[in-house]
Each structure stands twice: as C-alpha cells, then as structure tokens.
Amino acid sequence: MLILHISDIHFRKGEFGSAMDPNHHLRTTLVRDAKQQCEQLGTTPDAILVSGDIAYSGDREEYQFAQTWFEELCREVGCNVSEISVVPGNHDVQRDVAKKPMIQAAHKDIQNTEPQLLGGKLRGYLEDEDTGKQLYGPLENYNNFAGQYLCSLMPPDRTKTERRYKLNDGSTLCVTGLNSAFVSSHADEERSLFVDPASFTLTNEYGVAHLVFCHHPYNWLANGQELADHLGDVSQIQLFGHEHTNRVELNRDWVRIAASAAHPDRTERGWEPGYNLLQLSVHHENGERRLDVTAHVRVWQNRPGQFTAKRDKTEDYFFQSIRLEPWESKEVETSETEGSQLVKATTIPDESAIEEDASMTSLRALSLKYFKLTFSKKLAIAGKLNLLEEEDTKLPDYERFRQVLLRARERGLLIEFETEIDGANGGIEVAEKKE
C-alpha cells in the first residue's frame, strides 16, 4: 500500500491564480516530483492524506482552488480523487467567526478546565446542540469542502474520520483523522488546543493496524501527553503537520512523522517545503507478522531548486518493521480438479473488519460529482428521489447533502442517483456551450 501525505498547503486568496503567485513553481514541481516518485516505486497511491491547513484563512475561494489542485495532483500520480482524506488545521478556521465573544468564552472555559475534568467538559459542549454548533461554526467553509470527500465533521457523533483499507495479507489498515482545530482561533499557543474524547475510543482490533493523522502535534494539545500515550498503545503510524518541520521518529511499536509544509511562508526561518510517501506491507517471518513501514521524506533543496530525499544516514528512506499480533485470514478448505491440474484452496480475507464495500466506493465517487452541482440542482435531485427528510431542514448544507448520499446508498438508489447527476451535469455543459 502506498500513501501520499501532504500538509500545510496554505492556499491564500489573492495569491493563487494571480500573475505573481509565489508558489506556482513550487506547487508544479511538487506534483511532478510526486509523479516521478510513484513511477520509480512502480505503483500509484492508494490514499492521499492531507493533515490540515488546506486554506490560509478558511475562505471559500481558497477551497475551490484546493479542489482544482487536488484533481490535478491525482491525475498526475494516477490516483482517484475519491481516495483523498482530509482533517482541518488552524488555518482552516474562519477566524472572524472564531473571534465572536460567545465562541471565545467557550474556548476559555475549556482551556481553564482542570485536566481531570476535561473529558466531561468537552463531552458536555459537543453533545449539546447549541454549543456544539458554536465550536464547529468556524469550520463551516472547511466542512463544505470536506463534505465532497465524505470527511465533513459534525458533533457529537462524527468528530473524527475513519476509513479502512485492505493490506497485502488481507488484514485491515484503519485510517483515522482527528480534529485538533475545534478550539482554534487567533489566540492559539502551545498546550491551548485539544482533541475530543472520541479520539480516545480508538482501540486494538483483531487483524487491524491503525494509522492516525492529525494537524497539531502533541505539544500543541493540552491533552497531548494523554493522546501520545494512547496512540502509542494502539496506533502503529502517526502523522502530523502544523510546525512545518519534518521529523521522523522510529519506535519499536510505532512510527511518527511530522510533515514539512507544502507551502511554508517564505519568510520562515528554515524554509523547507516537502511531502511524504509511505509504503506499507505486512510480511510473516519466523511465525511473526510484521508491518513494514518505508517512509520517503521529500524535501526542497535550493540551487538547483528541486525536491530530494531526506536521508537516514546512508539510505534515501526511513524504515521500521513493527511487530503485529498474530492473525490469519479465513481459508476455503475445499479443492477441485480442473482437467489434469489440481486447483488449490484460495485464501479469502476476513471481510468483517473492512468498512469499505463496493457501494461505499461508488458513493465516494458520486459524492465528488454531486457536491460540484449548484445548491438548487442538488436539492432537485434529492427531492426527485425522495431522499430528503423533514429533520434535514435544521442541518447545514454539507450535512444535509451527506445524508442524502447515505440514504441513496441505503435504499439501493445509487444507479438512479448517478443518472440524475449526469443529467444535471449535461445541462450545465449545454449551458456553457451556448454561452
């Protein structure tokens, strides 16, 4: 399995698309380098993980440009756009909203809570409809963007993302994205931010390895040490952003990677753009299962300007082999004869732990097409297929249309849903040709 990890892109309104875009060359070179690296590795990414700060100020136009750039990146590296997963960072927060007195009061109340009472305080805020909306209000533009990737967040039941992939031996990789930005504002400082109690529900599962990605590293979280201890017990791979400085920690039980920023501010000391590629595979050795993690850390060098490998002493990559608990896939005990050859039993992975199925994969692809439609077209399709419920009127747009997508899947209407989307897109194309 190959994972492309990017963080801190900081698409800034007024810069991208302009005649003097300072990051145009850097951005183009990153895409070219990622394409070349994938070709050298002989594979394409199974997942693209973006650990926050997609935008610079949480502006809608910044996310519109991000969407276009993500499509270009996926096209070049040979990955479906539906394989993108995102979490928010502090720059994905609309700070003018986060500055409102009621939200600041909630932030200070949480920040001043004694550590032993923190979990209860956070649950209280997030489980209450009004205060939950307050805390997540500054992430509305982010959620409208993330919704197309089925990564939008909404308290109390969906404050983290989860997606599951099949590893080479049939076991599962569970990829979980944590939100560390729901108490973020202009007043951020170390130890002033949080992950919520849902982050601590991650647990060991039979035949499942865990990868967790989050924007803020532990030292920025008031409950960071608690999170570090918990993830040290359950998560083999931990990815972070925010500090714009790449670091790789190889532990017996886990690998932690802090990413360079894809677009750090050029006035920063130690300016060093970068991104990561992670190869994962499971192998069996002397009766043990081991997860092999090979991290290709790509960093920018000057004169000549290009991305190059960050070296681990003599190697162009970082490697760790992590012991996993024993696990065996289910096997078919029968065999049959075909002509003169014996057809041996095939191994069938245990599907019970795999969240993704064919309908969910289709839903992700449809979500991208659906969210590109205008509000009125999305509403018309939902109404025509009777996918709207009365309680949806209270939901923000991104959540309302997420529920529409999920109902289409649950009711076996994905084919009809796609037909309506294609018809709506056709109408848009005709209108554009006439203009």
Side-chain angles (χ1 to χ4, degrees), residues 148-167:
Q148 65 187 315
Y149 307 108
L150 298 183
C151 290
S152 58
L153 302 167
M154 187 174 181
D157 299 323
R158 202 175 68 253
T159 59
K160 58 183 173 62
T161 67
E162 181 178 308
R163 190 165 180 181
R164 297 188 175 223
Y165 298 86
K166 191 183 299 182
L167 291 168

Side-chain angles (χ1 to χ4, degrees), residues 4 9 23 29 156 167 238 293 300 342 356 383 385 389 394 398 410:
L4 174 57
I9 314 173
N23 290 309
T29 307
L167 291 168
Q238 302 154 32
V293 182
W300 182 262
L342 180 67
E356 296 285 318
L385 297 178
E389 303 289 348
K394 300 178 181 179
Y398 64 85
E410 291 167 0

Side-chain angles (χ1 to χ4, degrees), residues 5 7-10 51-53 89-91 180 189-191 193 214-221 239-249 257-265 268-274:
H5 173 218
S7 193
D8 298 79
I9 314 173
H10 300 140
S51 52
D53 280 5
N90 50 293
H91 280 282
S180 60
E189 56 185 33
E190 285 197 24
R191 303 290 176 188
L193 301 173
C214 179
H215 182 66
H216 292 94
Y218 301 120
N219 56 298
W220 281 82
L221 305 174
L239 307 178
F240 300 94
H242 185 62
E243 293 189 328
H244 304 181
T245 302
N246 64 76
R247 294 186 304 279
V248 181
E249 297 179 61
I257 299 177
S260 295
H263 283 171
D265 193 308
E268 286 182 14
R269 187 175 182 180
W271 183 80
E272 189 180 50

Side-chain angles (χ1 to χ4, degrees), residues 323-423:
R323 183 177 179 179
L324 301 175
E325 68 175 356
W327 176 84
E328 292 184 2
S329 59
K330 295 178 181 177
E331 293 186 358
V332 177
E333 298 294 340
T334 60
S335 61
E336 57 183 276
T337 302
E338 186 176 291
S340 61
Q341 295 182 334
L342 180 67
V343 181
K344 295 184 178 180
T346 55
T347 300
I348 300 178
D350 181 1
E351 298 290 348
S352 62
I354 302 293
E355 176 198 61
E356 296 285 318
D357 59 17
S359 65
M360 195 66 188
T361 301
S362 298
L363 188 69
R364 292 183 184 279
L366 286 178
S367 178
L368 290 161
K369 296 167 67 174
Y370 185 54
F371 270 84
K372 280 187 176 181
L373 298 176
T374 63
F375 176 85
S376 59
K377 287 182 179 293
K378 288 198 288 282
L379 206 60
I381 291 173
K384 183 175 182 179
L385 297 178
N386 295 316
L387 296 172
L388 288 170
E389 303 289 348
E390 185 176 344
E391 62 266 21
D392 293 344
T393 57
K394 300 178 181 179
L395 299 174
D397 292 343
Y398 64 85
E399 186 64 19
R400 179 185 310 164
F401 294 125
R402 175 189 171 89
Q403 294 302 320
V404 166
L405 284 159
L406 293 175
R407 289 186 193 116
R409 175 181 178 246
E410 291 167 0
R411 299 174 186 177
L413 294 174
L414 290 183
I415 294 176
E416 293 86 344
F417 197 80
E418 184 171 19
T419 299
E420 293 297 330
I421 293 174
D422 290 342

Side-chain angles (χ1 to χ4, degrees), residues 160 162 164 172-176 178 197-213 218 226-238 251-256 291 322-325:
K160 58 183 173 62
E162 181 178 308
R164 297 188 175 223
T172 300
L173 178 73
C174 179
V175 176
T176 303
L178 305 183
S199 304
F200 298 91
T201 61
L202 201 68
T203 190
N204 294 310
E205 302 174 60
Y206 183 62
V208 178
H210 287 280
L211 181 155
V212 173
F213 69 115
Y218 301 120
E226 184 183 1
L227 182 65
D229 292 342
H230 178 67
L231 294 186
D233 290 337
V234 300
S235 178
Q236 288 78 19
I237 305 168
Q238 302 154 32
N251 183 276
R252 182 193 65 179
D253 298 322
W254 44 257
V255 172
R256 288 176 184 162
L291 176 64
I322 301 169
R323 183 177 179 179
L324 301 175
E325 68 175 356

Side-chain angles (χ1 to χ4, degrees), residues 302-313:
N302 289 309
R303 296 178 296 275
Q306 62 184 27
F307 284 96
T308 187
K310 180 173 182 174
R311 296 175 62 82
D312 184 15
K313 295 183 178 179

